[in-house]
Amino acid sequence: MAAAPVSQMADLRPVRIWLLTVAVLIAAMVLVGGATRLTESGLSIVEWKPVTGALPPLNEAEWKQAFDGYKAIPQYRQMNAGMSLDEFKTIFWWEWSHRLLGRVIGMVYLLPFLYFLWRGGLGAELKRRLWGIFALGALQGGVGWWMVASGLSQRVEVSQYRLATHLVLALLIFAGIVWTLRRLRQTTALIVPSRLKITGIVLLALTFVQLYLGALVAGLRAGKIYNTWPDIDGGFIPSAARLFFHVPWWRNLFENTLTVQFEHRMVAYTLFALVVLHVIDAARARVDRAVLEGALWLLGIVSVQVVLGILTLLNQAPMDLALTHQAVAILVLTLAVSQAERLTRVKRELTTQVIGRPVSAIR
């Protein structure tokens, strides 16, 4: 079945609204996940029941069973011994809400997707892209439990490696949806210098590196120490002996709280500097106005994020500032994806048939 060219595309508003809704839900889930982490709630549910787990405890006996399960893990014994049932319910609801939102996202994505497939209105490239996003979403459920399982036996928190993987995968799915949404727009490719395209891709890649490092900072609680700026541990650049005392040396990049926070700071400075250069380059190249505006918006949001990061650090990562910092990080990613897509667009990649009409009716 041949797909219609872009000029013959029908109103794709239902598809765009669907994908935009999923993107908003993913952003909300990331923030709920951040709150779950900040309240130390992530290990309050010690079982993975993809279907029956959608229901919370419905009576006192079920609440006691859930609480007894939590009492059996190291986090309770070492951090929350003596916690009351009401206190347990508080952390339970955070984790349950996070998991429920994941289930909701799965249904909100899958059911409309199946409907659009049934109506036969999605082009081949778009279908491949959407199936890929669905596969990543299915994988995310398993990664979430893999993360939780790391804190149930010998640790009092989840592995920072698995936490970072879980977050970055969620944001990769989010980025894939944003990219797809932009490719559904009927806009033409822009003529821009190759260096601007390369810079756009590098900015997006560096944004993901920074998001990964931010997750490591969160997993190690590294934002609650070294709460000075611009110095860290007594200087702008800490001593090598303090940065690299783990053996082998590479473990420091992921496990040394000082090194991880220092990496997060340095990548933030690098990202900010690169965005500034990108704006200057776009202005000098006299490219399409959309490219310069995209660069300026990215610079503005990255600047806000830098300020928020400093305030969050100086105040030892209180929940309000930490979640705001995380929310703006999602906005930075959105703008970085948009700019990279704008700069690298060569031709319309996603085509579609008129939704709900037989192919023979399309000319």
Side-chain angles (χ1 to χ4, degrees):
M1 293 173 63
V6 178
S7 61
Q8 298 174 357
M9 289 175 70
D11 183 7
L12 289 174
R13 187 178 304 172
V15 177
R16 289 197 294 267
I17 292 175
W18 163 55
L19 290 176
L20 180 60
T21 300
V22 175
V24 170
L25 287 173
I26 292 174
M29 188 171 181
V30 169
L31 295 179
V32 172
T36 301
R37 174 185 50 77
L38 289 166
T39 55
E40 303 287 356
S41 304
L43 297 177
S44 58
I45 302 177
V46 298
E47 296 178 307
W48 189 36
K49 298 178 179 179
V51 178
T52 59
L55 292 176
L58 300 176
N59 53 55
E60 287 302 309
E62 291 180 357
W63 274 113
K64 184 178 183 303
Q65 182 180 7
F67 193 19
D68 287 342
Y70 179 64
K71 287 180 179 179
I73 68 172
Q75 186 185 81
Y76 172 81
R77 296 193 299 268
Q78 298 181 37
M79 294 177 58
N80 292 323
M83 169 184 278
S84 68
L85 179 59
D86 286 339
E87 290 171 330
F88 169 72
K89 288 180 179 180
T90 299
I91 63 172
F92 178 94
W93 285 122
W94 274 115
E95 175 64 8
W96 181 82
S97 299
H98 185 54
R99 296 191 188 193
L100 179 65
L101 190 52
R103 293 180 174 95
V104 169
I105 291 172
M107 297 302 292
V108 170
Y109 188 91
L110 180 60
L111 295 181
F113 183 30
L114 293 177
Y115 170 77
F116 290 130
L117 289 173
W118 174 67
R119 295 299 296 269
L122 303 177
E125 176 63 23
L126 179 55
K127 283 192 287 187
R128 284 194 293 270
R129 206 179 280 267
L130 294 176
W131 274 120
I133 292 172
F134 176 76
L136 290 177
L139 176 63
Q140 178 72 326
V143 170
W145 174 247
W146 175 64
M147 176 190 69
V148 170
S150 68
L152 298 180
S153 57
Q154 299 181 10
R155 300 170 60 103
V156 297
E157 74 285 312
V158 300
S159 162
Q160 73 273 19
Y161 292 99
R162 300 188 188 188
L163 173 67
T165 301
H166 187 52
L167 176 63
V168 170
L169 181 55
L171 294 174
L172 181 62
I173 296 168
F174 175 84
I177 292 175
V178 172
W179 187 284
T180 302
L181 273 167
R182 287 197 54 83
R183 286 294 162 105
L184 288 173
R185 292 162 57 97
Q186 297 189 37
T187 57
T188 57
L190 302 176
I191 300 176
V192 295
S194 296
R195 65 179 183 276
L196 278 176
K197 296 181 180 182
I198 294 172
T199 305
I201 295 171
V202 172
L203 279 171
L204 179 56
L206 197 60
T207 298
F208 269 106
V209 171
Q210 182 69 334
L211 291 167
Y212 181 83
L213 292 174
L216 290 181
V217 169
L220 292 169
R221 281 41 171 193
K224 294 184 178 296
I225 53 178
Y226 309 111
N227 302 106
T228 58
W229 185 84
D231 288 353
I232 176 173
D233 197 37
F236 186 76
I237 300 177
S239 67
R242 295 272 291 159
L243 287 172
F244 297 100
F245 63 81
H246 284 307
V247 177
W249 67 269
W250 59 262
R251 286 181 53 201
N252 293 277
L253 304 178
F254 307 95
E255 300 177 18
N256 183 338
T257 54
L258 175 62
T259 308
V260 169
Q261 193 193 115
F262 179 68
E263 292 168 345
H264 193 51
R265 293 187 186 203
M266 293 300 106
V267 173
Y269 299 150
T270 303
L271 184 60
F272 177 79
L274 187 58
V275 174
V276 171
L277 293 175
H278 183 58
V279 169
I280 295 172
D281 195 14
R284 289 181 173 177
R286 297 184 179 181
V287 292
D288 188 276
R289 181 178 178 180
V291 174
L292 180 57
E293 288 180 349
L296 287 170
W297 272 106
L298 187 56
L299 175 59
I301 296 303
V302 168
S303 300
V304 171
Q305 182 70 334
V306 169
V307 174
L308 278 171
I310 294 169
L311 291 175
T312 302
L313 175 70
L314 294 178
N315 289 278
Q316 299 185 354
M319 180 178 288
D320 54 350
L321 279 174
L323 290 182
T324 302
H325 188 50
Q326 193 165 8
V328 176
I330 297 172
L331 188 53
V332 170
L333 176 61
T334 302
L335 294 177
V337 170
S338 298
Q339 185 71 343
E341 189 280 332
R342 181 182 294 115
L343 290 168
T344 58
R345 179 188 293 266
V346 176
K347 61 181 178 179
R348 171 66 60 182
E349 293 186 0
L350 302 183
T351 59
T352 181
Q353 298 150 3
V354 178
I355 295 176
R357 292 174 57 191
V359 179
S360 60
I362 303 174
R363 294 289 183 266

